[in-house]
Amino acid sequence: MIELFYWPTIQGRGELIRLALEDSATPYVDVARGPGGISAMQAAMSAEHGKADALPFAPPFIRDGDVQLAHTALVLHYLGARIGLAPDDERGRMHAHQLQLSITDFHSEIHDTHHPLGSSLYYEDQKSEALARTKVFVRDRIPKFLGYFEREVLRGGEATLLGRHSYVDLSLFQTVEGLRYAFPRATAAIEPKLPAVMALHDRVASRPNVAAYLRSERRRPFSEQGIFRRYPELDVVP
Amino acid sequence: MIELFYWPTIQGRGELIRLALEDSATPYVDVARGPGGISAMQAAMSAEHGKADALPFAPPFIRDGDVQLAHTALVLHYLGARIGLAPDDERGRMHAHQLQLSITDFHSEIHDTHHPLGSSLYYEDQKSEALARTKVFVRDRIPKFLGYFEREVLRGGEATLLGRHSYVDLSLFQTVEGLRYAFPRATAAIEPKLPAVMALHDRVASRPNVAAYLRSERRRPFSEQGIFRRYPELDVVP
């Protein structure tokens, strides 16, 4: 049984792992959502699980028996072939992981649109800087990242990044969902230029386990916490 | 023969790969430093090398025969055991990779101290925001990241992160070097609290291949390009 440790009330980075576990119908426990779960997560952050693992720098992390792993992309790299969401040869695993690491970078930049001066400050203390960063992000970075993925989906074929369904497709789906929530005007403007990414998004949304998860209460709504946030003043036109 | 593709005049993210190749005495070509090298790198960015690989989102990337890989942490994950700088079992490889991914995040935050509004703008257009971000970074983030690595070096033992020399040690060495360059006052203030990290740094510096590399002209000096930059106005006291 996989144990997932992540903040219980938000999607955040943990959502990419939740989507992989849900799509593949992998049994898991979302530890911090259980009684005493946040305390358990915090204890796990600072206690040694096994000499063979580094301590987590931050959630999300998982435990699978005596294995403990942190960093979203590494967790997905580990789970990938084990849950049927990546090739099992080294070459195919690296292909998926490389793409996922660009998702990581993209999400980090998305987060920093609302926290350009630092995640330890409130949004309200960096609103003008957030607007400045968002304008640059919408103009330069959304087209660069999504244009990159458009090309890779075209290379993969069949509305997939790898030529077969994978955890990276699930993460790209979530990225589109989040951008539509956080930057509805900029996202609507660019979608017509990204037919392959949008076909991938729609294919993922129609997968039965994904659709069931999105309807369930396990899927927390987007909010003004986490990576993707809707602040009307940041919904700029590119 | 490993082909490394990275900007030729700076250390930047590519330096973590260069240090691994140099320390292990792995034969490599720093492609963009050769005649026509930047054109070759840019051509490689947009041309398909093999169907089995994603295109690089950005440098650095490597080629090893028909394998092409991007993202510093993934390149090091791939090279690790092959060049004697990581364990060769999956558990040990993941241990190293998880630590390296925290180095990646740290370097990303270091970069953003001078580019809080976006990497496509000049530093001169975001100087006041850079100072604001740097103050938060020096106060909150340097202690958090280096405190994490201090604990992990103590767990690893023998002035190493993994209980044996690895590519992650080389990256942590480079991080200390860069912080000393970019934020000399903040770094001097925190060094006494980090005896294990500093012992690791000094151990790496004394490795013959590292020492020879640092003295060579292959080692470009730090500058006001790349991740670690010295802007006197950002050398704040924590």
Side-chain angles (χ1 to χ4, degrees), chain A residues 45-46 48 50-57 66-71 74 77-78 82 90-91 93-95 97-99 101-102 105 108 112 115-121 129 132-133 136 139-141 144-145 148 151-152 155-156, chain B residues 45-46 48 50-57 66-71 74 77-78 82 90-91 93-95 97-99 101-102 105 108 112 115-121 129 132-133 136 139-141 144-145 148 151-152 155-156:
Chain A
M45 292 276 298
S46 53
E48 194 167 280
K51 184 74 178 172
D53 300 308
L55 296 175
F57 183 78
D66 70 337
V67 172
Q68 177 173 286
L69 282 176
H71 282 290
L74 174 56
H77 182 57
Y78 170 79
R82 287 177 170 83
E90 187 193 18
R91 193 76 179 272
R93 293 182 75 203
M94 291 193 301
H95 187 177
H97 192 39
Q98 179 179 323
L99 289 164
L101 287 169
S102 288
D105 288 348
S108 177
D112 282 2
H115 278 76
L117 299 189
S119 54
S120 53
L121 302 181
E129 295 85 357
R133 178 152 183 154
V136 177
R139 183 191 70 197
D140 296 343
R141 304 303 283 173
K144 182 167 171 69
F145 275 104
Y148 172 79
R151 194 166 57 168
E152 289 298 316
R155 292 181 68 225
Chain B
M45 292 277 296
S46 53
E48 193 167 281
K51 183 74 178 170
D53 300 309
L55 296 175
F57 183 79
D66 69 338
V67 172
Q68 178 174 284
L69 282 177
H71 283 291
L74 175 56
H77 182 57
Y78 170 80
R82 287 178 170 83
E90 188 194 17
R91 192 75 178 272
R93 293 182 75 203
M94 292 193 301
H95 187 179
H97 192 37
Q98 178 178 323
L99 289 165
L101 288 169
S102 289
D105 288 347
S108 177
D112 282 3
H115 277 76
L117 300 188
S119 53
S120 52
L121 302 181
E129 295 86 357
R133 178 153 183 152
V136 176
R139 184 191 70 197
D140 296 343
R141 305 304 283 173
K144 183 168 170 69
F145 275 104
Y148 172 79
R151 193 165 57 166
E152 289 297 317
R155 291 181 68 226

Side-chain angles (χ1 to χ4, degrees), chain A residues 42-212:
Chain A
Q42 290 172 330
M45 292 276 298
S46 53
E48 194 167 280
H49 187 59
K51 184 74 178 172
D53 300 308
L55 296 175
F57 183 78
F61 58 98
I62 64 159
R63 288 183 175 171
D64 180 16
D66 70 337
V67 172
Q68 177 173 286
L69 282 176
H71 282 290
T72 305
L74 174 56
V75 168
L76 292 169
H77 182 57
Y78 170 79
L79 291 175
R82 287 177 170 83
I83 61 175
L85 286 176
D88 59 7
D89 63 297
E90 187 193 18
R91 193 76 179 272
R93 293 182 75 203
M94 291 193 301
H95 187 177
H97 192 39
Q98 179 179 323
L99 289 164
Q100 189 68 36
L101 287 169
S102 288
I103 296 272
T104 298
D105 288 348
F106 194 16
H107 284 206
S108 177
E109 293 196 23
I110 291 164
H111 174 272
D112 282 2
T113 58
H114 46 77
H115 278 76
L117 299 189
S119 54
S120 53
L121 302 181
Y122 291 112
Y123 169 65
E124 286 68 26
D125 293 331
Q126 47 192 315
K127 286 182 72 167
S128 66
E129 295 85 357
L131 178 59
R133 178 152 183 154
T134 298
K135 286 178 178 171
V136 177
F137 173 78
V138 160
R139 183 191 70 197
D140 296 343
R141 304 303 283 173
I142 289 183
K144 182 167 171 69
F145 275 104
L146 290 184
Y148 172 79
F149 284 110
E150 178 75 8
R151 194 166 57 168
E152 289 298 316
V153 179
L154 290 171
R155 292 181 68 225
E158 302 183 58
T160 70
L161 281 158
L162 300 182
R164 53 154 286 172
H165 179 63
S166 74
Y167 67 78
V168 198
D169 295 348
L170 296 165
S171 292
L172 186 54
F173 160 83
Q174 172 71 2
T175 305
V176 172
E177 288 285 295
L179 290 172
R180 285 178 174 175
Y181 174 77
F183 307 108
R185 295 205 288 183
T187 308
I190 201 170
E191 284 193 22
K193 299 174 190 165
L194 304 166
V197 168
M198 294 307 148
L200 179 150
H201 169 276
D202 295 350
R203 181 185 64 73
V204 169
S206 73
R207 289 176 64 83
N209 290 349
V210 171

Side-chain angles (χ1 to χ4, degrees), chain B residues 41-205:
Chain B
M41 180 169 81
Q42 289 171 330
M45 292 277 296
S46 53
E48 193 167 281
H49 188 59
K51 183 74 178 170
D53 300 309
L55 296 175
F57 183 79
F61 58 98
I62 64 159
R63 287 183 176 171
D64 179 17
D66 69 338
V67 172
Q68 178 174 284
L69 282 177
H71 283 291
T72 305
L74 175 56
V75 168
L76 292 169
H77 182 57
Y78 170 80
L79 292 175
R82 287 178 170 83
I83 62 176
L85 286 176
D88 59 8
D89 62 299
E90 188 194 17
R91 192 75 178 272
R93 293 182 75 203
M94 292 193 301
H95 187 179
H97 192 37
Q98 178 178 323
L99 289 165
Q100 188 68 34
L101 288 169
S102 289
I103 296 271
T104 299
D105 288 347
F106 194 16
H107 284 207
S108 177
E109 293 196 24
I110 291 164
H111 173 272
D112 282 3
T113 58
H114 47 76
H115 277 76
L117 300 188
S119 53
S120 52
L121 302 181
Y122 291 111
Y123 168 65
E124 287 68 24
D125 294 330
Q126 48 192 313
K127 285 181 73 166
S128 66
E129 295 86 357
L131 179 58
R133 178 153 183 152
T134 298
K135 286 178 178 171
V136 176
F137 173 78
V138 161
R139 184 191 70 197
D140 296 343
R141 305 304 283 173
I142 289 183
K144 183 168 170 69
F145 275 104
L146 290 185
Y148 172 79
F149 285 111
E150 177 74 8
R151 193 165 57 166
E152 289 297 317
V153 179
L154 290 171
R155 291 181 68 226
E158 302 182 57
T160 70
L161 280 158
L162 300 181
R164 52 155 286 171
H165 179 63
S166 74
Y167 66 79
V168 198
D169 295 348
L170 296 165
S171 292
L172 186 55
F173 160 82
Q174 171 72 2
T175 304
V176 171
E177 288 286 296
L179 289 172
R180 285 177 173 174
Y181 175 77
F183 308 108
R185 295 204 289 181
T187 307
I190 202 170
E191 284 193 22
K193 300 173 189 166
L194 303 167
V197 168
M198 294 308 148
L200 179 150
H201 169 276
D202 295 349
R203 181 185 63 76
V204 169

